[in-house]
Amino acid sequence: FGRCEIAVNPMRYFFKNEFILNRLMFKNAGIYAYVAPDGKANWNIIKPDTAVTDTSTSNAQFNGSIQIRKVEFENISLVFDDRSNGIYTSIDSLNLKLKASLTSRISKLAIKTNCNNLIFWQNGELLARRLSLGFSGDISVDSENNKYEVKDAFVNVNNLSFKTNGSAQRDTVNNTLAVDLNYELAVPSVETLLEMIPASVVKKDGLKANGSVEFSGNIKGIYGKDQIPEVTLNVKIKDASGKYKGMPYGIDNLSADFDFFVDMMRKKQSY
């Protein structure tokens, strides 16, 4: 990193058994997250505690709350290299703002993040590039069950905004993550759908479009060694019309229903 700032309040820890992180900031940093072919990740650096707990000293252990008032990442370059699933992702200009209240049972995270120029490879094939992503919303954490829940959060993909709900639960024994997320287009219009189509396919200058579209799907399954969740997508176009300015022809009415299914592991046939 180029710059790091940390501000804590030690007095609250000594007198009230609380840990308060007032500020954690990184600027111009680089992060390389690596998963080995056997599924072991380079961020799992703490050895598991196998010692027998001494009940005579257990009351002296930290059992208070943790308040994270401000975490900022500015202009971060991130590489996620998962050799166990043949996935490589790189991100330029990652920015993140986070607030958190952590307890021994239920915790809350407020996150706002965005990034530019996401590139995604799998098994040597380029699947996505030049994507801009963003996320804003609250995440609740059930520490006892290692479960994360998202409710009415927003995910931005380029100029599109999706509302998402769902959960992810970590299996510490098998080192996997069970994901079940639903998403839907926040602004269901045909013009919004056209933004997804490259300009090389559909010319957008002078195009006026009307109609509605329902755009929803699900990401469900296990993420871990040799496991990636399945993705479904449903698109329903109702009473759409479109016409270019100055052109005598156009589309008066179009209704359509599309279903998509993608299995990145190729165990099931995608369509």
Side-chain angles (χ1 to χ4, degrees):
F1 55 86
R3 182 179 179 86
C4 173
E5 294 180 10
I6 302 175
V8 298
N9 186 340
M11 304 309 293
R12 292 289 286 268
Y13 172 73
F14 291 118
F15 292 105
K16 294 189 176 182
N17 200 30
E18 292 179 340
F19 180 80
I20 295 181
L21 177 63
N22 287 318
R23 177 177 171 83
L24 172 63
M25 184 271 288
F26 283 97
K27 281 188 176 181
N28 304 323
I31 299 173
Y32 178 67
Y34 174 78
V35 182
D38 60 2
K40 294 181 179 180
N42 68 345
W43 59 85
N44 290 334
I45 59 175
I46 299 177
K47 292 182 178 181
D49 186 5
T50 58
V52 178
T53 302
D54 185 354
T55 57
S56 63
T57 60
S58 61
N59 291 333
Q61 295 177 358
F62 178 74
N63 58 3
S65 64
I66 300 176
Q67 302 293 326
I68 300 176
R69 292 179 173 170
K70 194 172 187 179
V71 171
E72 285 188 276
F73 286 3
E74 184 178 324
N75 192 30
I76 309 297
S77 296
L78 171 66
V79 171
F80 178 66
D81 187 359
D82 183 355
R83 300 291 177 88
S84 65
N85 290 307
I87 291 176
Y88 180 90
T89 301
S90 68
I91 296 173
D92 292 338
S93 302
L94 172 67
N95 300 288
L96 172 99
K97 291 185 178 181
L98 180 146
K99 295 180 180 180
S101 175
L102 309 178
T103 66
S104 60
R105 178 64 198 279
I106 302 296
S107 304
K108 298 288 184 181
L109 304 174
I111 300 175
K112 185 175 182 180
T113 182
N114 62 77
C115 67
N116 296 319
N117 194 24
L118 181 145
I119 299 174
F120 182 78
W121 294 76
Q122 187 191 27
N123 296 325
E125 295 182 25
L126 180 62
L127 301 181
R129 68 189 183 108
R130 296 180 182 175
L131 287 180
S132 297
L133 299 179
F135 175 89
S136 61
D138 296 337
I139 299 176
S140 64
V141 182
D142 184 343
S143 302
E144 288 186 357
N145 298 305
N146 291 314
K147 190 173 184 179
Y148 309 84
E149 290 190 347
V150 178
K151 186 176 181 180
D152 295 337
F154 286 90
V155 177
N156 297 313
V157 181
N158 290 347
N159 294 324
L160 299 177
S161 181
F162 297 88
K163 185 167 70 173
T164 181
N165 294 275
S167 65
Q169 188 165 14
R170 187 182 174 200
D171 185 340
T172 56
V173 176
N174 298 310
N175 198 25
T176 59
L177 191 69
V179 179
D180 188 359
L181 291 173
N182 299 311
Y183 61 92
E184 61 183 41
L185 197 62
V187 183
S189 69
V190 172
E191 289 185 343
T192 306
L193 184 64
L194 288 174
E195 291 296 324
M196 298 181 61
I197 304 174
S200 59
V201 178
V202 174
K203 302 296 182 183
K204 299 170 186 178
D205 294 339
L207 175 61
K208 184 176 181 180
N210 296 299
S212 64
V213 57
E214 295 178 10
F215 191 108
S216 61
N218 177 258
I219 303 172
K220 188 173 183 178
I222 303 296
Y223 184 85
K225 178 174 169 52
D226 298 326
Q227 298 179 91
I228 299 177
E230 300 169 349
V231 179
T232 63
L233 170 63
N234 176 253
V235 182
K236 293 183 179 179
I237 302 172
K238 297 181 179 179
D239 300 325
S241 61
K243 189 174 182 180
Y244 286 97
K245 185 177 180 180
M247 295 290 183
Y249 51 82
I251 296 176
D252 294 327
N253 186 279
L254 171 66
S255 295
D257 193 344
F258 298 95
D259 279 303
F260 299 88
F261 172 80
V262 178
D263 180 8
M264 300 291 292
M265 300 306 301
R266 297 175 172 85
K267 294 179 180 178
K268 298 179 183 179
Q269 185 176 6
S270 300
Y271 56 83

